[in-house]
């Protein structure tokens, strides 16, 4: 008889310092129940992230199975989730999972850095509920973003844990595929143990890249080490997954910290390899300190970029990353470029629904004063205005071309490309990080011809813009914002202290 597999998920990265996320924010991305989950998972261009489509495709390939789709909520990174919505979501999940009757296995699509107004561990809350409903003997496998902060409940309630291994996250689909393979093995009778060891290190976002990035290698080295060691004695054939979770500092939870998580058929092996990785992480602790370029230095670089043999540059606005809860509308970098008279720059994507709506009412070719942040004013999102020409309007829906959104349907909302005295600014209405070249190309803009490209993204733009910019053309600029990698700018309330890189004297006791 084909196995009945429950499918569910809750995926949001929450910045404690950002505004509350509501049901509307989930509905704008992915808020699905029952069969609608399968429809999107099997769509040519899904709205959901790629783990579940990868899982479903792998299960389909492996043979007959019966999906039991329950509930899936995904939203763009934001502040803590409104508690009323979360209560309704888990009540619905509980009702549907109980009504579905006995299942043979469960796949949970998680992020791990979720917060609810009165719950710092919504993933643990959901998995505890799921375990309670399905009972102790039904295997549960979960995938997590490597920015997840891992609590005891995240681990103790499941049988297999899979974290992303790439940042930018190019392996979401592969992790879903791996989850299908692991769950299939568990359904055949394999029993597992999961070990977790957390370090007093809260890595700033920009120190957590993977791949061939010489300046940001400490984290990538740990990922690579875990993958190499699991294929060697005594772990070969015993360890089923190694995940090194960097976590998300801005969630500000008591269980923040770089965490090694190992799933194995042998408890001692799981513990042994987790300890090896924790020690390797601790040995690298002095390297988890960010190094950014000051705004004046960035503007000086912009003056010569793309001239006289100097390469074009991409400026990463790392402190206003919508992919970390930033609002995508701070003006520090745009204002500095504009007042310096820089031309040939592309800036995007700025989230400003009021400005986009005004441009749509005026029409292409119109000249007006572009007034940014007339509504969304905060300590970081300050007003700015400049004379502008409306170059191109766009209704919003695009299909991702390259990077983390490749193949996904993304709706930017009513959008516009504006010319501000030689700087082209793309303004959108649905907050999203600028991770895909299509966010410029949809407006007929030529990225290769730009001298400077300023992106509202911390690091995922690297997976989309790497065909235009090599690593040494990327400048991470220091501006104020909700996602500044300079962690001493924030009033932490819940992080374990002392902790690297915030405190001078941090000790780790491996026992
Ligand atoms: Zn992430």
């Amino acid at each position: 008889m084909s196995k009945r597999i429950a499918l569910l998920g809750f995926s949001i990265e929450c910045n404690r310092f950002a505004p509350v996320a509501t049901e509307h924010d989930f509905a704008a991305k992915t808020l699905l129940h029952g069969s609608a989950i399968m429809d999107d998972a099997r769509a040519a261009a899904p709205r959901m992230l790629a783990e579940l489509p990868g899982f479903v495709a792998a299960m389909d390939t492996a043979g007959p199975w019966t999906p039991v789709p329950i509930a899936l909520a995904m939203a763009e990174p934001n502040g803590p989730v409104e508690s009323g919505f979360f209560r309704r979501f888990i009540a619905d999940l509980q009702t549907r999972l109980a009504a579905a009757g006995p299942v043979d296995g469960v796949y949970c699509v998680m992020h791990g850095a979720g917060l609810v107004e009165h719950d710092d561990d919504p993933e643990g809350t959901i998995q505890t509920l799921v375990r309670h409903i399905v009972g102790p003997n039904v295997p549960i496998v979960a995938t997590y973003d490597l920015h997840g902060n891992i609590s005891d409940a995240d681990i103790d309630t499941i049988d297999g844990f899979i974290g992303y291994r790439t940042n930018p996250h190019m392996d979401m689909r592969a992790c879903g595929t791996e989850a299908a393979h692991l769950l299939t093995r568990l359904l055949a009778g394999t029993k597992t143990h999961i070990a977790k060891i957390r370090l007093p290190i809260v890595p700033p976002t920009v120190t957590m890249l993977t791949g061939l990035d010489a300046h940001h290698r400490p984290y990538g080295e740990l990922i690579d080490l875990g993958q190499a060691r699991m294929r060697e004695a005594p772990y070969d054939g015993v360890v089923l997954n190694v995940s090194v979770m960097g976590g998300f500092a801005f969630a500000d939870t008591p269980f923040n910290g770089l965490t090694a998580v190992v799933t194995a058929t042998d408890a001692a092996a799981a513990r042994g390899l987790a300890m090896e990785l924790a020690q390797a992480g601790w040995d690298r602790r002095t390297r988890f300190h960010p190094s950014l370029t000051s705004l004046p230095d960035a503007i000086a670089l912009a003056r010569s970029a793309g001239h006289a043999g100097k390469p074009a540059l991409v400026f990463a606005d790392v402190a206003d990353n919508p992919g970390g809860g930033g609002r995508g509308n701070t003006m520090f970098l745009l204002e500095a470029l504009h007042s310096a008279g820089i031309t040939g720059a592309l800036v995007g994507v700025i989230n400003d629904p009021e400005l986009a709506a005004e441009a749509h009412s005026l029409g292409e070719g119109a000249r007006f004063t572009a007034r940014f942040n007339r509504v969304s004013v905060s300590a970081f999102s300050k007003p700015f205005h400049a004379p502008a020409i409306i170059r191109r309007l766009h209704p919003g829906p695009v299909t991702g071309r390259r990077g983390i959104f490749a193949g996904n349907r993304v709706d930017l909302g009513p959008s516009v490309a504006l010319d501000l005295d030689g700087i082209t600014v793309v303004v959108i209405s649905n907050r999203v990080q600028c991770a895909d070249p299509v966010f410029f190309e949809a407006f007929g803009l030529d990225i290769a011809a730009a001298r400077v490209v300023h992106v509202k993204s911390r690091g995922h733009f690297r997976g989309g813009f790497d065909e235009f910019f090599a690593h040494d053309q990327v400048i991470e600029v220091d501006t104020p914002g909700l996602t500044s990698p300079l962690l001493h700018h924030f009033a932490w309330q819940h992080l374990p202290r002392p902790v690297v890189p915030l405190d001078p004297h941090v000790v780790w006791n491996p026992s």
Side-chain angles (χ1 to χ4, degrees), residues 171-507:
D171 62 340
M172 289 185 274
R173 188 177 175 91
C175 287
T177 302
E178 183 179 340
H181 295 158
L182 179 54
L183 184 58
T184 301
R185 214 170 144 171
L186 298 173
L187 290 168
T190 296
K191 299 294 180 202
T192 52
H193 304 266
I194 306 179
K196 158 176 77 67
I197 300 179
R198 183 188 305 126
L199 289 169
I201 300 175
V202 174
T205 48
V206 293
T207 65
M208 279 176 50
L209 292 170
T210 64
L212 302 171
D213 187 347
H215 297 289
H216 304 270
R217 283 296 290 165
Y219 184 66
E221 284 172 7
L222 297 175
I223 300 258
D224 294 347
L225 178 64
Q227 294 308 296
R229 287 296 288 137
M230 74 177 280
R231 290 172 174 80
E232 298 169 357
Y235 305 120
D236 187 26
V238 180
V239 169
L240 304 181
N241 177 272
V242 181
S243 299
V244 183
M245 309 297 286
F248 184 62
F250 307 113
D252 188 22
T253 74
F255 47 90
N256 267 83
L258 186 72
T259 302
V261 184
V262 179
T263 303
T265 55
D266 176 82
R271 180 82 190 168
L273 185 46
M275 186 58 77
E276 277 191 33
L277 290 167
Q279 185 63 55
W282 185 244
D283 292 344
R284 288 162 175 76
R285 63 191 177 278
T286 60
R287 294 166 62 193
F288 288 101
H289 291 264
S291 162
L292 306 179
T293 299
S294 72
L295 188 52
D297 287 351
I299 297 305
L301 290 169
R303 289 184 196 281
S304 58
H307 285 315
K310 292 277 181 63
L313 298 173
V314 59
F315 285 0
D317 205 345
V318 294
D320 186 30
N321 171 28
R327 311 329 282 171
N329 62 2
T330 71
M331 294 286 113
F332 303 104
L333 200 35
L334 171 57
E335 191 167 3
L337 289 167
H338 188 262
S339 67
I342 305 294
T343 58
L346 289 181
V347 175
V349 285
I350 306 286
N351 175 43
D352 195 326
E354 292 77 22
L355 180 54
E358 184 183 8
H360 275 254
S361 74
L362 294 170
E364 290 181 356
R367 293 169 183 269
F368 74 126
T369 298
R371 293 185 298 124
F372 292 85
N373 292 333
R374 69 191 80 175
V375 171
S376 302
V377 179
S378 73
F380 301 123
S381 309
K382 293 174 178 159
F384 166 68
H385 64 86
I389 305 170
I390 298 170
R391 291 295 185 208
R392 183 79 77 91
L393 300 171
H394 193 282
V398 298
T399 300
R401 178 173 78 75
R402 187 177 175 85
I404 61 165
F405 297 132
N408 271 91
R409 192 159 63 87
V410 181
D411 186 359
L412 304 175
S415 304
V416 60
L418 301 173
D419 181 341
L420 271 61
D421 301 312
I423 299 175
T424 305
V425 184
V426 172
V427 180
I428 62 171
S429 301
N430 292 340
R431 190 175 57 90
V432 66
Q433 71 171 306
C434 190
D436 195 306
V438 79
F439 294 176
F440 291 114
E441 293 163 349
F443 298 84
L445 300 170
D446 184 359
I447 295 167
R451 297 174 45 227
V452 172
V453 178
H454 157 203
V455 291
K456 291 285 186 187
S457 174
R458 182 271 314 157
H460 287 325
F461 71 90
R462 293 168 185 268
F465 289 75
D466 58 343
E467 61 182 7
F468 301 103
F469 299 98
H471 169 69
D472 58 4
Q473 291 171 274
V474 175
I475 308 295
E476 294 171 333
V477 184
D478 178 17
T479 60
L482 280 171
T483 62
S484 171
L486 304 181
L487 301 185
H488 58 273
H489 288 170
F490 296 81
W492 306 101
Q493 292 185 44
H494 307 283
L495 287 188
R497 303 295 286 268
V499 74
V500 176
L502 284 164
D503 300 306
H505 302 294
V506 185
V507 292

Side-chain angles (χ1 to χ4, degrees), residues 47-188:
R47 289 180 68 89
M48 67 176 67
L49 297 176
E51 302 100 317
L52 192 53
F55 180 91
V56 168
M59 292 298 290
D60 287 346
T61 302
W65 68 299
T66 305
V68 184
I70 303 295
L72 179 66
M74 292 182 163
E76 195 67 11
N78 213 325
V81 175
E82 192 258 320
S83 56
F85 164 66
F86 187 69
R87 267 199 308 274
R88 293 193 300 279
F89 177 76
I90 57 172
D92 177 73
L93 187 152
Q94 181 171 15
T95 303
R96 287 173 182 270
L97 185 57
V103 294
D104 299 294
V106 182
Y107 173 42
C108 301
V109 182
M110 297 304 196
H111 181 288
L115 299 172
V116 177
E117 284 176 303
H118 305 293
D119 183 352
D120 286 353
D121 185 20
E123 299 85 1
T125 299
I126 289 170
Q127 288 178 189
T128 301
L129 174 68
V130 170
R131 176 56 80 198
H132 179 73
I133 295 171
V134 302
N137 299 319
V138 170
I140 303 176
V141 170
T143 50
Y144 275 71
D145 188 304
L146 58 75
H147 292 110
N149 301 314
I150 305 308
S151 71
D152 292 348
D154 294 342
I155 298 299
D156 295 345
T157 51
I158 63 175
D159 303 285
F161 182 99
I162 297 167
Y164 298 169
R165 289 190 284 275
T166 62
N167 186 21
H169 304 325
M170 305 305 291
D171 62 340
M172 289 185 274
R173 188 177 175 91
C175 287
T177 302
E178 183 179 340
H181 295 158
L182 179 54
L183 184 58
T184 301
R185 214 170 144 171
L186 298 173
L187 290 168

